[in-house]
Amino acid sequence: VVLASAPKCGRCFWCLRGQPTLCEQIGHLASGGLLDDTPRFALNGARVHQLCFTGTFSEVTVVPGIAAVKIPDDVPLGPAALLGCGVVTGYGAAVNTAGIRPGDSVVVIGCGGVGLSAIQGARARQAGQIIAIDRVTDKLERARRRGADVVIGATGAIAAMEAMIGMTRRGGECVFVGMPGAHDTLSLPVLRALIATQRTFRGCVYGAIDIQTDVPDMITKYQNGELLLDEMVTRTLPLEEVNSALRNLTEGVDMARSVIAF
Ligand SMILES: [Zn+2]
């Protein structure tokens, strides 16, 4: 199975309107437990939280059934693990949320696992020019000159999010995917950035996908060679090295994804 942190109950207001990544069950995520707000782990009598319903930094776990997606037996687990988050977030943002039309110019800011997947999604939507930016100034300038049809921000840095607006052409679309801090705010000149320029700002969580249909679909695309996953695994490491993997992620050492193999 692929474990997702965006369970879909299939019954609530949002699920019934085709927006399962807004499912009301998401509200339980902040509890650090499962759908009843309690974790299934404990150490010496104290609760041990399960991040995002999954708690995958352990050899065994208990998850909500609606957060597990069955995949075919012959799919290798390393690349499949990338479909739990990251890849679906970036790919889905480009395919489901951004209104990319064939030939559009697309800028993707932040080229970690999410950004690289957004690039793959833009390619799947037949974008014309795709400019990938990751702290490289000349590319930034190139994107600024005319402005892109669609700008996808796969970074939680507020300065980068503000820069995204200037990179979007008049009438273009800004898609915010990266996760800022819970209390971060965005300040922008409303008339110039939004109204007079008719830009569209869109937020996107978890690629706005339906885990139960889109994850199997993406497995098929992987098997057909349409979606690259193996190339995104920069390192495979044992559970004992989880802390160094997280450190590398924070410091930007790993380009794409580390996979922990049990
Ligand atoms: Zn729901």
Side-chain angles (χ1 to χ4, degrees), residues 7-15 20 23-25:
K8 170 196 171 190
C9 77
R11 293 186 303 271
C12 72
F13 177 92
W14 290 275
C15 282
C23 175
E24 61 185 25
Q25 298 296 334

Side-chain angles (χ1 to χ4, degrees), residues 87-107:
V87 168
V88 294
T89 300
Y91 190 88
V95 169
N96 296 328
T97 303
I100 300 172
R101 294 155 306 178
D104 269 359
S105 56
V106 176
V107 167

Side-chain angles (χ1 to χ4, degrees), residues 19-226:
Q19 295 179 298
T21 47
L22 299 176
C23 175
E24 61 185 25
Q25 298 296 334
I26 291 291
H28 298 289
L29 191 137
S31 72
L34 301 190
L35 301 180
D36 62 357
D37 295 338
T38 61
R40 298 298 181 271
F41 296 142
L43 182 65
N44 302 325
R47 286 161 66 123
V48 174
H49 292 129
Q50 289 178 243
L51 180 71
C52 293
F53 298 129
T54 55
T56 48
F57 292 161
S58 65
E59 289 158 322
V60 292
T61 188
V62 179
V63 301
I66 56 173
V69 184
K70 190 177 183 325
I71 60 169
D73 293 337
D74 59 346
V75 178
L77 293 176
L82 272 53
L83 296 177
C85 192
V87 168
V88 294
T89 300
Y91 190 88
V95 169
N96 296 328
T97 303
I100 300 172
R101 294 155 306 178
D104 269 359
S105 56
V106 176
V107 167
V108 176
I109 303 171
C111 297
V114 175
L116 291 171
S117 305
I119 292 167
Q120 294 205 58
R123 192 185 59 172
R125 288 291 297 259
Q126 299 176 294
Q129 188 184 30
I130 303 173
I131 298 177
I133 297 171
D134 197 295
R135 299 179 199 176
V136 182
T137 325
D138 64 322
K139 285 183 181 170
L140 192 77
E141 284 309 318
R142 230 168 61 198
R144 266 189 185 139
R145 230 171 283 157
R146 187 187 54 205
D149 300 307
V150 176
V151 175
I152 300 174
T155 165
I158 290 296
M161 290 184 170
E162 286 173 348
M164 283 170 60
I165 298 159
M167 289 177 209
T168 310
R169 70 159 168 81
R170 292 187 301 137
E173 189 178 310
C174 248
V175 182
F176 297 89
V177 187
M179 289 288 168
H183 303 292
D184 286 344
T185 57
L186 202 57
S187 83
L188 56 111
V190 186
L191 180 64
R192 188 158 43 85
L194 190 58
I195 299 170
T197 45
Q198 291 194 48
R199 291 189 180 99
T200 304
F201 291 3
R202 308 194 68 173
C204 179
V205 68
Y206 218 82
I209 66 160
D210 179 328
I211 56 166
Q212 298 297 349
T213 56
D214 286 330
V215 170
D217 182 54
M218 289 171 78
I219 292 278
T220 305
K221 286 192 167 66
Y222 165 69
Q223 290 173 320
N224 294 342
E226 294 165 52

